[in-house]
């Protein structure tokens, strides 16, 4: 028997050699290359592309007046999971602060942190307050369809205003950021995460029926909605099936027999659609009125952003700190990169050690310069060695006679 | 008696109102604004300045051929603390992976992660391998002089080469990055963290004396070094006092009675100084030959980077994964910002809701645009209201008649 991590006696010699070559000396065992599920090394060129994408988005956010904040990775539980953070508490790693012996959480989402900053340190800043943020978050468990547990976020929050034009601004700024990254086939799927719950509440269904019905809606199971919906079977079934492009879906929603809070939610969605259309006449808008995916702190008009079928962001209205109205939108850089076209690589020029003084001028022209550690003499004595070395290091150019020559 | 966090009966009414205003409704208690020691919210404009500083540095690193990698925040203990990572294990938070029930560590430093990537996923990439990285790290405890526990790093690693010119490249690239940020009064303090230990080993001192002597050297206590040094009292005392500008300190080091491994270390330092001088003739170089601060994985020529008295980075030679020679340097963006001059803020123009279509052109001119949520009519009916609103939101300009006017 071979235990995990132990080499079996019969391991082929080639594999043993391979292990020695990669993990010799005082190095960790072969398992060192194994990272926990959902955590990974981002390698060149992807890591650079992701970082540039984040800074491009942050540049767009800044140009619209969204000022950057950077909350810490860890906070005490009572602040991280207070207010809108309660909705994300189940997805967070906990650890103990050795100084105070109080429990801390590793943030699974940044929106509640930004809401906390707005309600505490920036409580005296004028409203509406526009804040932007970017950074990594860590989830306790990956999802079935998306196993990643370390997830970058780049987002904006517009705090202290409840206005359809605020919803429209959030969507318009996100659209501009996606456009700057050349993300193709962007669409915004609008939802009202509380609509179904409000309608079920109004219909005074029993607790069990209510639970089965919400579960069926979550799974988009029209048959069970029809069977369990009671007085709501017709309208909920119609709304479930109405999901699609806004003109038709919105018309069906507004024609539905909604009352009180449910009608108010629908009317606000209609106003938000008009405001979004005014800023983005050509955007692809869809509507799924009884959907309630995503973070549970979203309370009003919400939006899921797609690039083709890839979900690249999410946002909407929520109740901020000190009960302030707020809305925001968070984009996911990793998902964006799966959707966006790759950037062309910069030219790389190999510079012999003897000519290192000329590298600065090449960098000023946009070249990446790769300094050689040759003896210097090799440069003039054996030019073929230089070319081999430049090729070995993946260079596109080589410096010779003061000029960068294509390989 | 009043317990911490509880309001005393006699609290002034104004303070009670203040608490209500900032923490009303279902919000967290006033303690929500309290973060664990050494963890903090970075607010505008500092968060933006820090992010730009990091990207500026990463741009310089990329231009020198250092390709960006992004290791995860969490790894299993055996990979995070294997190899050079063993030296940082005592400074890391641990948490359990709920999927595998194996322990993970939250990284306190990125260099061992990059060494792991080089030795595993990038083991077949040509050497020398140049990698760059930037991201947050978390320390279990803050230091007395520097209580921060979340520390950003931005650094480079040059892997697979043992050459004084490699040390010089690392220092030269860091110097260029600091120059790009206008960091004033930069100096590089060279050290040989193993020199004192090697000399004490060679002198075959007893374990207790060895420990007292290293402790005295660590505290730079010349009196105890003289008392405990035995046969090394003279030379170690001289080297301790020799710390200072390179020409004199290096001359004293090379004149000292060093043998074997100690002499080899000194000669390598001399060669590195020559190589650094060749690339940076004007840099301020100091030498502290028996200092051994910093991460304990540095094994050869090491360097601490200062801006005035602020320590802004650290690096040096170490043994990478698979026993590869390597050197690297990590800069600390937060410390850099304390040393670097602030950037001027961009002009902010208030745009009334009725003129939102003109905002894009203003952004293209470099303005930050702040969209108004006025009624639209206010724009023409009561221009004073617009000015008051623009001033309230901290704008430097206001859009009127298609032009941005200074306030």
């Amino acid at each position: 028997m071979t235990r995990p991590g132990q080499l079996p006696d019969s391991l082929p010699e080639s594999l043993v050699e391979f292990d020695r070559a990669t993990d010799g000396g005082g190095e960790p065992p072969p398992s060192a290359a194994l990272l926990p599920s959902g955590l990974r090394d981002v390698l060149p060129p992807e890591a650079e592309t992701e970082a540039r994408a984040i800074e491009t988005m942050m540049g767009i956010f800044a140009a619209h007046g969204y000022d950057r904040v950077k909350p810490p990775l860890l906070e005490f539980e009572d602040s991280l999971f207070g207010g809108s953070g309660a909705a994300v508490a189940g997805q967070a790693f906990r650890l103990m602060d050795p100084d105070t012996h109080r429990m801390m959480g590793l943030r699974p989402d940044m929106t509640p942190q930004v809401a906390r900053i707005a309600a505490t340190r920036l409580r005296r800043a004028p409203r509406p307050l526009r804040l932007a943020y970017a950074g990594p978050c860590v989830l306790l468990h990956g999802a079935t369809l998306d196993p990643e547990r370390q997830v970058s976020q780049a987002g904006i929050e517009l705090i202290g205003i409840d206005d359809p034009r605020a919803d429209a601004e959030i969507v318009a700024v996100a659209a501009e950021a996606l456009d700057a990254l050349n993300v193709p086939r962007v669409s915004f799927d609008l939802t009202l995460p509380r609509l179904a719950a409000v309608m079920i509440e109004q219909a005074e269904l029993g607790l069990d029926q209510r639970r089965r019905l919400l579960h069926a809606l979550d799974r988009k199971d029209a048959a069970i909605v029809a069977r369990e919906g009671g007085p709501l079977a017709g309208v909920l079934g119609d709304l479930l099936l109405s999901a699609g492009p806004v003109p038709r879906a919105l018309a069906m929603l507004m024609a539905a027999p909604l009352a009180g809070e449910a009608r108010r939610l629908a009317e606000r969605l209609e106003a938000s659609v008009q405001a979004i259309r005014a800023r983005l006449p050509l955007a692809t808008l869809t509507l799924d009125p009884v959907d309630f995916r995503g973070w549970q702190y979203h309370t009003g008009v919400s939006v899921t952003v797609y690039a083709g079928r890839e979900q690249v962001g999410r946002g909407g209205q929520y109740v901020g700190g000190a009960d302030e109205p707020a809305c925001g939108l968070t984009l996911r850089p990793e998902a964006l990169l799966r959707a966006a076209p790759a950037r062309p690589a910069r030219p790389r020029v190999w510079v012999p050690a003897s000519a290192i003084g000329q590298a600065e001028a090449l960098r000023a022209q946009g070249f990446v310069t790769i300094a050689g550690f040759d003896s210097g003499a090799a440069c003039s004595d054996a030019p073929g060695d230089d070319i081999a070395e430049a090729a070995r290091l993946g260079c596109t150019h080589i410096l010779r006679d003061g000029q960068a020559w294509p390989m």
Side-chain angles (χ1 to χ4, degrees), chain A:
Chain A
M1 284 296 290
T2 305
R3 282 174 296 149
Q6 188 191 29
L7 294 178
D9 294 331
S10 61
L11 198 75
E13 197 56 28
S14 61
L15 255 182
V16 174
E17 285 300 320
F18 172 87
D19 277 322
R20 273 189 210 128
T22 56
D23 296 290
E27 277 313 292
S31 65
L34 292 178
L35 294 172
S37 68
L39 297 167
R40 65 194 185 96
D41 296 317
V42 187
L43 299 181
E46 198 191 337
E48 175 70 15
T49 309
E50 181 189 313
R52 277 173 182 261
I54 290 174
E55 293 313 311
T56 298
M57 289 190 278
M58 295 304 282
I60 301 284
F61 299 163
H64 285 268
Y66 289 81
D67 291 326
R68 190 170 189 143
V69 293
K70 184 187 143 198
L73 288 169
L74 300 168
E75 291 187 28
F76 288 129
E77 285 186 316
D78 56 1
S79 74
L80 192 60
F81 307 133
S84 54
V88 307
Q91 267 291 33
F93 276 100
R94 261 75 164 184
L95 14 71
M96 197 179 67
D97 178 13
D99 290 353
T100 59
H101 294 182
R102 287 174 65 190
M103 291 306 287
M104 304 191 295
L106 190 53
R107 67 175 179 218
D109 183 38
M110 292 176 79
T111 295
Q113 292 190 299
V114 177
R116 174 185 58 72
I117 290 174
T120 55
R121 287 177 173 73
L122 297 181
R123 65 184 178 277
R124 292 182 199 286
R127 265 48 177 175
L129 178 64
R130 291 174 169 92
L131 297 175
Y133 53 92
C137 296
V138 179
L139 301 170
L140 191 57
H141 297 287
T144 313
L145 287 176
D146 183 3
E148 302 228 14
R149 290 198 286 176
Q150 179 175 331
V151 176
S152 292
Q153 294 190 333
I156 48 177
E157 307 295 336
L158 178 48
I159 295 156
I161 186 163
D162 179 359
D163 189 306
R165 292 173 300 176
D167 308 341
E169 175 169 314
I170 289 291
V171 170
V173 172
E176 191 175 325
L178 296 169
D179 194 47
L181 297 175
N182 298 312
V183 175
R185 294 187 295 141
V186 171
S187 66
F188 297 92
D189 189 39
L190 302 167
T191 63
L192 285 171
R194 286 183 56 241
L195 179 65
V198 164
M199 290 170 68
I200 290 169
E201 178 91 14
Q202 289 172 338
E204 296 179 352
L205 302 182
L207 192 63
D208 268 3
Q209 190 180 5
R210 190 181 301 197
R211 200 173 284 147
R212 283 195 300 273
L213 191 48
L214 283 172
H215 189 66
L217 285 168
D218 188 33
R219 300 181 55 183
K220 304 204 182 297
D221 187 332
I224 295 183
V225 170
R227 197 181 70 208
E228 298 284 348
L232 295 174
V235 57
L236 281 179
D238 286 351
L239 291 177
L240 188 62
L241 295 173
S242 77
V246 149
R248 179 170 168 280
L250 186 62
M252 287 180 72
L253 175 66
M254 300 315 291
L258 304 175
E261 175 69 2
R263 169 129 318 261
R264 201 195 60 74
L265 284 169
E267 283 169 356
R268 171 53 186 274
L269 177 74
E270 188 180 35
S272 294
V273 166
Q274 282 171 359
I276 294 169
R277 274 273 164 261
R279 292 203 56 170
L280 297 173
L282 302 177
T284 302
L285 300 183
T286 59
L287 171 60
D288 195 350
V290 290
D291 183 273
F292 45 87
R293 287 164 296 186
W295 294 121
Q296 286 162 22
Y297 51 70
H298 287 129
T299 51
V301 175
S302 300
V303 61
T304 309
V305 190
Y306 290 91
R309 291 184 164 202
E310 181 90 54
Q311 185 186 307
V312 297
R314 168 169 286 163
Q317 293 180 272
Y318 60 96
V319 178
D323 285 340
E324 276 191 297
C327 60
L329 199 148
T330 305
L331 294 169
R332 289 194 43 182
E334 291 99 346
L336 282 175
L337 295 183
R338 288 192 290 266
R343 295 164 48 91
R346 286 164 70 188
R348 292 161 75 92
V349 56
W350 188 80
V351 178
S354 57
I356 193 73
Q358 297 167 46
E360 188 174 349
L362 291 165
R363 286 192 295 274
Q365 291 168 41
F367 280 103
V368 169
T369 62
I370 307 292
F373 289 105
D374 55 301
S375 68
C379 185
S380 47
D381 292 0
D385 290 355
D386 284 7
I387 293 173
E389 180 68 358
R392 194 179 68 80
L393 292 172
C395 292
T396 56
H397 291 69
I398 184 164
L399 180 68
R400 184 165 296 167
D401 307 327
Q403 276 214 304
W405 297 90
M407 295 281 291

